[in-house]
Amino acid sequence: MLALLVLPLALAVSAPGLASPTSGSAVVPDRSSTGEQNGVGLMRIVVADKSGIDRLNELGVDLAEYVKPVDNGIEVHAILSPEESQALRDKGFDVQDAISDQSDYADNMAERSASIRAATAATASTDTLTVLRSEWFSSLNNQLFLNIEVKSSAGTDSTTVLTASWDSGPGTEIGSGGTATMSRFTDAGQYMYHRFSNPVAINAAPAKATITSNKGGSVTVDVAKWLGSPRKVAGDHPYVSDFVDHYMDPTEVTARFTGLAAEFPKLTELIDLPYKTNGYRRKAQAQFGTAAASIVYVTSTAYGSEGGNDVSMSLVNPGTANAPLTVSMSGKAVTVSLATNGSGAITSTAAQVVAAVNGNADAAKLLTASTYRGNAGTGVVAAAPVTNLTDNLKAPASVSREPFQMKALRIGKHRDGSKVGVFLYCQEHAREWVTPLVCVESAERLLRNYAHDPNTRKIVDDLDIFILPVVNPDGAHYSMYDYNMQRKNMTNYCSASLADPAARNAWGVDINRNFSVGSVFDGFTGASATNCTGETFAGPSELSEPEARNEVWLVDKFPNIKLSMNTHSYGGYFMWPPGAYKAAGREVLPRVDQGTEAYFWTSSDYILSRVQEYRGTAIWPGRTGPVTDVLYSAAGNSADEHWYNRGIIGWDFEVGADVYNPTTKRFTAVGFQPSFAEGHEEAMEFANGNIAILEVARAYATDKIQPQTTLKIVKQEPGATAFTFSISEPANVYYTLDGSRPTYNSPKLALAGMREGVQNIAVNSDTTVNWFSIDIAGNVESNYKPDGAGRNYNKQAVAVQ
Ligand SMILES: [Zn+2]
């Protein structure tokens, strides 16, 4: 019923997206009137041009990170309720069909539950046994021996006992050949596996053995002949991958990382980031009444988990004439006895009830009452039975309601700051469920392949890798259990006029708009500083949020970090700074220089080829490049923070490239939460991308090769000659035309234009060109010292006819 009262979205207001939160003009997307997932869908919109996207942004429309040129304009995607879709259509926007809707969410959650149930059934009370070897052999006068090695997933627990039983040949019973307890083998304090201390002497060659664990695990395996016959391959290690089998919430992801740190202490350390989040928690609320003027809603002082959920309130008709409005307390129950007139009819208005409740010192300790969305509250309220306040949070109790301790996993053989650092981070936006899987998969691959894969060993030995799998844990829990399209964190900065229960899915700060470079507070576009319910709300100030501060703390604490990757979803993009512009005149943050841009393109080719290797997905050239060129302005994003404040190369992935359907011959957008089967593929291919980034970083760290350049005449006309430079690898060229020695202050070869090649330089008279080049790793051509006095730079005369 509430939905009828509330105008949909900011669309109803003409001021672009800046409706004051205190205006009470119902600008909040009302997506929770049913208390459920509210019928929102991910909708396709076609706009004529980029100004249409800017206009949607200004209206506060919740856009996906997806832009696609189509025949008649540009296709973008937005999260909209049916009412919001209609409001946009009324404004002339071409809102088309849904890419995904709530049935997809239901399917995903059912699939996830089934997967977790299966895993729990297998591991809750039982351990997993992995057979490393099982073989028999003869030796010493034809005496037969048995050798078995088995790794238990509970093996780090010293009370884990494994027992092996074997048969006495094909078709015989397990146990008929014998039974023996295995020894727990540890090396340098680390559990390796269980084995027999010595091969066990046996009387007959077994065909099968069963190993059981006192922790419940059991496995039956063939016993092969050792030496003289083909054996099961146990020593030949292929590259291992595929470590995620369901969508994971932040509690699970953090537990996984904690486990990895414990399992690989020599290669890792777990870093507790200093700023705890506000936590997956909310104040408890209840709302009384249905018409805006007579609605009263109350909010607990304590979080729901800290007593707020125990508070209740009732509005009682005293059943007598001329009764006064009173508030009384019994424990945590607040009873409002409503005023009546001479004929016994209720006369208390919403405003009067609010004043009475807030004016009662005892009640005010437990809760605060408000009228609805700034309404004057002149409507008479209706009696209502005892109503429990609730925080409405639906995650299981295993999800803590305390402030969340974010943890980054540092991986590297030498974690002393001497190696080039790379920062991989995921899930700034809560609803992008695939992204934490990319970080988990990347960490698992590095650690589990280190022992046997030379390439992994090089990466881990030569780099200092920091992986933060979930930047927005509170929002991510909320997205998984309460409102799947949640993008922001959970912290509510709205005043009472936008803090009623129906607004709760619109609260929070967009972490990737809360950083300090090119922010909305600096005048850049693509975020809101005032609309607390807008999906790109930048927070009350730059770096107001602990989630954003933790990122900044990490890159400040470890200045060896030179590259970063910020993984988002969806659309299939590879992007770099600049990521924001001022709308007026499209004043973009400074573009990277020619050498850096060339390096980014060369790196893209390598990284995206590795993404493609997994299942053939090609990230399109049109979705590769600076954020402002291929997506839209995102004021205050983290990649710009890293690049412009610290010189850290700040890359962004959008996983989830459009999938080509060979039958319809069309590309289909995948959305934020595809079926896990698709999400899994995205995690695998972009984990490939992360590994490739590490390879690129290692090449950067170990690059000792100097760039080489030649001067090239491109055009000669009477009175003017144009030239440029050929460069052996991505590098910047500094040159002079006046015969002076080139330095870092000399002119730098630029690009001819956005996404173009290098510029041509024209001279009108005979000129001596002096120049040198320097690559991104700092290698200078011919080992020239631009700051020194040497003259070993390049020089060439350019003649003019
Ligand atoms: Zn995102």
Side-chain angles (χ1 to χ4, degrees):
M1 283 197 291
L2 267 177
L4 300 175
L5 303 171
V6 182
L7 291 173
L9 252 190
L11 313 177
V13 238
S14 50
L18 298 179
S20 159
T22 56
S23 71
S25 55
V27 296
V28 59
D30 188 353
R31 294 173 175 168
S32 58
S33 52
T34 67
E36 297 302 329
Q37 296 271 340
N38 329 318
V40 296
L42 182 60
M43 308 298 293
R44 203 184 310 271
I45 306 176
V46 174
V47 293
D49 53 28
K50 279 215 159 180
S51 69
I53 302 177
D54 290 342
R55 185 150 173 260
L56 288 168
N57 265 325
E58 285 163 8
L59 285 168
V61 172
D62 183 7
L63 289 179
E65 290 140 5
Y66 183 97
V67 167
K68 181 182 178 182
V70 291
D71 285 348
N72 49 343
I74 302 172
E75 175 182 321
V76 294
H77 301 160
I79 291 81
L80 298 171
S81 68
E83 295 81 7
E84 290 162 4
S85 292
Q86 191 52 52
L88 277 181
R89 288 188 187 105
D90 292 347
K91 284 187 119 34
F93 284 96
D94 180 12
V95 181
Q96 305 186 345
D97 54 331
I99 289 148
S100 71
D101 57 27
Q102 290 307 316
S103 67
D104 297 328
Y105 172 71
D107 291 348
N108 273 326
M109 289 307 279
E111 183 181 21
R112 179 172 181 276
S113 300
S115 169
I116 290 173
R117 261 200 311 279
T120 306
T123 62
S125 57
T126 71
D127 51 347
T128 302
L129 303 182
T130 306
V131 179
L132 307 177
R133 289 177 181 278
S134 68
E135 52 223 348
W136 64 271
F137 58 92
S138 74
S139 184
L140 300 172
N141 304 320
N142 294 327
Q143 173 62 55
L144 303 182
F145 294 93
L146 178 66
N147 178 70
I148 295 179
E149 299 168 5
V150 178
K151 186 169 187 177
S152 161
S153 60
T156 52
D157 178 346
S158 63
T159 66
T160 300
V161 178
L162 302 191
T163 306
S165 300
W166 54 94
D167 63 17
S168 46
T172 61
E173 251 178 71
I174 293 282
S176 63
T179 292
T181 301
M182 304 177 74
S183 315
R184 185 170 163 271
F185 171 37
T186 61
D187 188 24
Q190 296 300 303
Y191 169 70
M192 308 302 285
Y193 48 86
H194 280 70
R195 63 181 181 182
F196 299 134
S197 300
N198 297 294
V200 174
I202 51 176
N203 295 324
K208 287 183 184 298
T210 295
I211 300 92
T212 57
S213 166
N214 65 336
K215 296 294 194 296
S218 176
V219 62
T220 297
V221 66
D222 291 338
V223 184
K225 184 169 189 288
W226 168 245
L227 301 181
S229 69
R231 67 184 176 92
K232 289 266 189 250
V233 175
D236 182 19
H237 293 280
Y239 187 81
V240 293
S241 61
D242 199 349
F243 297 98
V244 294
D245 62 3
H246 61 271
Y247 284 125
M248 299 169 79
D249 73 25
T251 300
E252 293 175 275
V253 167
T254 303
R256 177 79 75 93
F257 267 41
T258 304
L260 285 174
E263 188 176 351
F264 298 95
K266 289 178 181 162
L267 296 179
T268 67
E269 61 201 66
L270 206 53
I271 300 171
D272 280 352
L273 299 180
Y275 304 104
K276 289 192 175 178
T277 68
N278 190 58
Y280 175 75
R281 55 182 179 173
R282 282 269 162 85
K283 303 292 175 66
Q285 296 189 301
Q287 182 162 306
F288 302 87
T290 53
S294 55
I295 287 176
V296 171
Y297 79 89
V298 291
T299 305
S300 63
T301 307
Y303 285 101
S305 50
E306 295 172 357
N309 287 340
D310 304 329
V311 178
S312 69
M313 191 166 103
S314 56
L315 303 179
V316 176
N317 182 341
T320 58
N322 298 316
L325 173 63
T326 62
V327 176
S328 61
M329 302 283 300
S330 171
K332 289 190 173 181
V334 179
T335 302
V336 179
S337 183
L338 300 169
T340 55
N341 62 14
S343 55
I346 294 170
T347 58
S348 295
T349 64
Q352 288 166 343
V353 169
V354 165
V357 170
N358 293 342
N360 181 295
D362 290 332
K365 280 180 196 154
L366 292 180
L367 51 73
T368 302
S370 308
T371 59
Y372 184 72
R373 300 201 177 179
N375 195 289
T378 54
V380 171
V381 302
V386 175
T387 304
N388 291 316
L389 277 62
T390 170
D391 62 12
N392 270 308
L393 295 178
K394 299 181 183 67
S398 55
V399 172
S400 168
R401 268 62 172 171
E402 296 295 309
F404 195 89
Q405 174 62 62
M406 293 166 62
K407 291 175 187 289
L409 187 64
R410 185 181 191 181
I411 300 175
K413 188 173 183 202
H414 308 283
R415 300 182 304 278
D416 55 6
S418 66
K419 300 293 181 184
V420 164
V422 183
F423 178 30
L424 307 175
Y425 56 106
C426 295
Q427 205 170 24
E428 282 183 338
H429 290 145
R431 63 195 175 199
E432 297 168 11
W433 287 9
V434 175
T435 60
L437 306 184
V438 176
C439 271
V440 168
E441 176 72 15
S442 302
E444 292 270 2
R445 287 190 192 178
L446 291 173
L447 294 171
R448 299 203 187 280
N449 287 299
Y450 180 80
H452 58 261
D453 178 56
N455 187 48
T456 302
R457 186 174 287 260
K458 283 183 201 161
I459 292 170
V460 173
D461 285 353
D462 292 344
L463 295 174
D464 198 358
I465 303 157
F466 300 82
I467 306 183
L468 176 56
V470 183
V471 180
N472 180 3
D474 301 340
H477 278 127
Y478 197 75
S479 173
M480 191 156 273
Y481 297 108
D482 299 280
Y483 173 60
N484 72 316
M485 285 301 171
Q486 178 78 14
R487 166 185 170 97
K488 305 185 286 180
N489 72 6
M490 285 178 69
T491 303
N492 176 18
Y493 284 102
C494 293
S495 64
S497 64
L498 284 170
D500 57 284
R504 68 181 182 275
N505 289 344
W507 298 333
V509 176
D510 184 344
I511 305 301
N512 206 28
R513 300 294 185 274
N514 189 233
F515 291 88
S516 72
V517 172
S519 76
V520 67
F521 307 101
D522 302 328
F524 285 79
T525 199
S528 172
T530 53
N531 181 4
C532 66
T533 58
E535 287 299 324
T536 55
F537 178 53
S541 60
E542 291 174 354
L543 300 174
S544 60
E545 302 309 290
E547 295 89 343
R549 285 205 301 279
N550 278 334
E551 272 191 36
V552 169
W553 177 87
L554 190 82
V555 293
D556 280 343
K557 173 87 175 174
F558 303 102
N560 57 321
I561 293 176
K562 300 295 181 209
L563 298 96
S564 64
M565 169 47 76
N566 177 16
T567 297
H568 284 253
S569 167
Y570 58 87
Y573 290 76
F574 181 75
M575 299 181 288
W576 53 80
Y581 54 75
K582 292 179 178 174
R586 203 171 185 278
E587 183 190 328
V588 178
L589 281 169
R591 289 183 173 274
V592 304
D593 61 28
Q594 175 279 133
T596 307
E597 184 87 354
Y599 176 75
F600 287 175
W601 280 103
T602 305
S603 303
S604 327
D605 186 67
Y606 184 81
I607 293 162
L608 300 180
S609 297
R610 294 294 305 276
V611 170
Q612 187 176 36
E613 266 176 23
Y614 182 72
R615 59 165 171 168
T617 300
I619 302 305
W620 304 344
R623 291 183 178 179
T624 304
V627 174
T628 49
D629 296 356
V630 301
L631 193 60
Y632 44 65
S633 179
N637 70 80
S638 61
D640 284 345
E641 169 81 35
H642 302 327
W643 172 248
Y644 293 102
N645 276 349
R646 295 168 192 81
I648 297 168
I649 290 171
W651 280 327
D652 307 279
F653 272 147
E654 296 279 349
V655 310
D658 295 358
V659 174
Y660 187 68
N661 181 330
T663 310
T664 62
K665 295 188 167 25
R666 289 187 57 162
F667 282 98
T668 308
V670 295
F672 294 109
Q673 296 150 14
S675 69
F676 182 74
E678 164 62 22
H680 171 269
E681 298 297 279
E682 295 172 14
M684 292 303 120
E685 62 193 2
F686 281 89
N688 270 18
N690 267 350
I691 301 298
I693 285 167
L694 297 175
E695 290 166 354
V696 164
R698 182 177 175 274
Y700 163 93
T702 57
D703 178 14
K704 295 282 179 285
I705 298 172
Q706 296 164 3
Q708 294 186 340
T709 50
T710 54
L711 188 151
K712 215 173 46 168
I713 303 293
V714 290
K715 200 172 186 184
Q716 241 174 340
E717 293 172 342
T721 298
F723 69 91
T724 189
F725 300 93
S726 296
I727 315 170
S728 61
E729 60 165 308
N732 277 314
V733 177
Y734 292 83
Y735 64 91
T736 65
L737 303 176
D738 59 3
S740 65
R741 199 176 166 278
T743 69
Y744 292 124
N745 295 322
S746 304
K748 192 156 57 161
L749 182 69
L751 292 174
M754 177 177 132
R755 295 169 86 81
E756 292 182 34
V758 295
Q759 67 178 144
N760 295 332
I761 299 159
V763 291
N764 300 320
S765 59
D766 291 353
T767 300
T768 298
V769 182
N770 295 333
W771 80 94
F772 69 93
S773 65
I774 175 170
D775 69 16
I776 192 142
N779 298 299
V780 179
E781 184 169 9
S782 308
N783 208 25
Y784 173 62
K785 300 277 186 287
D787 297 331
R791 307 198 71 82
N792 56 326
Y793 48 80
N794 301 300
K795 37 186 124 21
Q796 187 169 325
V798 173
V800 175
Q801 293 166 353

